[in-house]
Amino acid sequence: MQMKSMNKKRVLQCIQENSPISRAEIAAQMNLSKPTISLIVDELIKTNWVYEKGIGPSSSHGGRKPIQLFFNEKAAYVIGTDIGGTKVKTIVSDLSGNVLHSKSFSTSHYLQTGLLDQIAKDVFRMLDHLDIPTGDVLGMGIGVPGITQNGVVLEAPSLNWIRYPILSEAEKHFPFPIHVDNDVNVAALGEQWVGSAKNNRHVLFMAVGTGIGSGIIINNQLYRGHSNAAGEIGYMVTDKEDLQNDFKPMFHRYGYLESVAGGKSIGHKLTTLVLENPDHPAYEEAKQSELSGESAFQLAKSGDPTAISVVHDAIDHLGYGIINAASLLNPEVIILGGGVLKSSDFILPRLRKMVDEYLPSSVELKISQLGGNVGVLGAVSLFLREHEGLINF
């Protein structure tokens, strides 16, 4: 019985990845007999996971044209939620990662009054709008900005959560199964599913924003580490002398790399230098409030020498971090995402040069193609990967 269920899952996966495909092609790919495949396919058609369409191209030596099988991406739906320090975004997705509806709201507006209440309102409004009954929802994936273990967020500083039991709280609001993980792990899964790391089995996703984190996929499996804290690349040290002097992290409990190469630290460093020079064009602005990382890149692009030195220094630290991580993990591809990478045209050439120069084996450096959807699609992917009863046989 278990073997049959396993074969069924494998056949469905084969159709999902290769459709349109014929029964004969599946039998050849999977090394199973044609009658066995036909029986399984008939069951999948009956339960609406697969549909057949028209006729395929005729074979070169004539004969009957095979019927083509397609994966039914609308057989069920999945909710994906990305809880960030600034905003919370939720989508309804089909089984191929097509976003059918999305809603978002400001985190701070609902942090005290109940984030999950608001997420639930958004979810049920979207399902209502799409005319999707709750029974057609397989489940939900949630990405959170903190280390999670067994459905508990151990610490999420941007949300002021410590040991917050998010899974059990979420289960009070929704009638379907839920899976939760760290937001950067979730983003790595999204990139591998429908983003820049599609068809790669060894992936490092790095999010470079105010902080710096990474998600690691080794041999197609998300690597979480002993205490679910793998990928905390922001704690990497890329200058021991700096650390031995009077180094102070950018924020309480922040790591070294994110304190010298994160977006906030780039803006902070530029502001300090600009305030030492009253002739600098951004002097008045810096006196009013701290310059942003984004301003630093804009000034650097316009040729400002102070901004160029600050930005180059940050990119160099980031480059050392990438070289260290890549030499340890040997990924096929490194995907870079997060707010700082909005200036990828300025950052990428310098990073590529460093990586090519210092790494023993080559690695592809790519920018995330999923943009603002990386977290929510990653959450959908998390659910599809983690949920055992994806197809209830």
Side-chain angles (χ1 to χ4, degrees):
M1 189 61 197
Q2 201 178 1
M3 187 53 136
K4 187 187 169 196
S5 170
M6 197 112 120
N7 282 339
K8 213 166 178 180
K9 269 192 176 169
R10 284 178 58 217
V11 169
L12 183 64
Q13 200 174 0
C14 180
I15 297 168
Q16 185 179 2
E17 287 168 6
N18 303 292
S19 75
I21 187 170
S22 69
R23 286 170 170 79
E25 286 168 326
I26 299 169
Q29 263 198 43
M30 291 186 60
N31 234 345
L32 289 169
S33 74
K34 284 181 187 174
T36 302
I37 292 295
S38 254
L39 211 63
I40 291 173
V41 165
D42 288 345
E43 283 181 32
L44 287 170
I45 289 170
K46 213 187 307 182
T47 49
N48 204 28
W49 286 95
V50 169
Y51 61 92
E52 46 191 358
K53 203 158 102 179
I55 42 176
S58 59
S59 55
S60 53
H61 43 267
R64 223 173 57 174
K65 297 174 179 179
I67 290 171
Q68 299 293 99
L69 299 164
F70 293 79
F71 173 67
N72 180 13
E73 57 193 24
K74 302 281 189 278
Y77 303 90
V78 179
I79 310 294
T81 295
D82 179 28
I83 299 177
T86 313
K87 77 170 181 176
V88 176
K89 183 171 185 175
T90 303
I91 62 165
V92 178
S93 165
D94 68 14
L95 298 176
S96 292
N98 297 306
V99 178
L100 306 177
H101 204 322
S102 78
K103 279 188 178 292
S104 54
F105 60 83
S106 160
T107 309
S108 57
H109 283 181
Y110 295 94
L111 201 49
Q112 303 309 319
T113 56
L115 279 186
L116 287 163
D117 285 342
Q118 188 56 33
I119 292 168
K121 279 179 191 160
D122 281 356
V123 167
F124 294 116
R125 276 181 196 143
M126 288 192 288
L127 292 176
D128 204 33
H129 177 80
L130 293 164
D131 212 12
I132 294 172
T134 314
D136 285 358
V137 177
L138 274 183
M140 178 179 197
I142 303 176
V144 290
I147 296 167
T148 62
Q149 210 166 14
N150 303 325
V152 176
V153 182
L154 300 183
E155 188 179 22
S158 62
L159 302 172
N160 292 322
W161 283 354
I162 291 174
R163 302 205 63 80
Y164 180 66
I166 186 162
L167 187 58
S168 59
E169 286 300 314
E171 283 169 343
K172 293 175 189 171
H173 291 80
F174 301 103
F176 34 72
I178 300 164
H179 287 274
V180 182
D181 207 328
N182 165 269
D183 56 354
V184 190
N185 282 350
V186 160
L189 294 177
E191 288 293 346
Q192 193 201 29
W193 183 37
V194 287
S196 298
K198 215 171 172 182
N199 303 322
N200 293 125
R201 296 178 66 82
H202 303 270
V203 179
L204 175 65
F205 173 81
M206 281 180 68
V208 187
T210 302
I212 298 177
S214 73
I216 302 163
I217 295 172
I218 296 174
N219 204 17
N220 224 24
Q221 294 297 313
L222 190 60
Y223 180 71
R224 293 186 174 88
H226 159 63
S227 60
N228 280 21
E232 290 285 349
I233 205 165
Y235 287 84
M236 213 174 253
V237 175
T238 47
D239 183 342
K240 75 180 175 83
E241 283 179 20
D242 196 7
L243 206 65
Q244 285 164 347
N245 292 332
D246 193 23
F247 168 73
K248 286 186 177 60
M250 186 69 211
F251 295 107
H252 176 60
R253 303 203 49 188
Y254 252 51
Y256 179 83
L257 182 59
E258 55 201 352
S259 294
V260 293
K264 191 88 174 142
S265 67
I266 294 170
H268 178 72
K269 193 169 177 187
L270 179 64
T271 307
T272 308
L273 292 175
V274 165
L275 288 174
E276 289 168 8
N277 176 12
D279 296 332
H280 193 280
Y283 181 74
E284 287 305 320
E285 194 189 334
K287 256 171 52 176
Q288 300 301 314
S289 64
E290 189 167 283
L291 300 167
S292 66
E294 215 171 324
S295 304
F297 281 102
Q298 280 166 356
L299 283 164
K301 285 174 194 171
S302 69
D304 181 80
T306 312
I308 288 171
S309 79
V310 168
V311 165
H312 279 180
D313 189 49
I315 296 171
D316 287 350
H317 279 287
L318 195 57
Y320 299 140
I322 288 171
I323 289 158
N324 291 344
S327 49
L328 192 65
L329 298 168
N330 185 26
E332 293 161 83
V333 64
I334 296 174
I335 313 290
L336 300 166
V340 169
L341 269 303
K342 284 180 184 148
S343 301
S344 60
D345 53 338
F346 198 85
I347 296 172
L348 215 54
R350 193 174 176 90
L351 282 182
R352 281 206 175 109
K353 189 171 178 292
M354 287 179 76
V355 168
D356 290 346
E357 197 175 330
Y358 293 112
L359 257 193
S361 61
S362 68
V363 64
E364 254 192 298
L365 275 187
K366 289 183 178 176
I367 298 299
S368 166
Q369 296 303 313
L370 298 178
N373 277 339
V374 67
V376 282
L377 283 169
V380 172
S381 173
L382 169 78
F383 178 82
L384 290 174
R385 288 175 65 127
E386 298 288 315
H387 189 57
E388 286 305 320
L390 177 53
I391 305 161
N392 300 311
F393 299 140

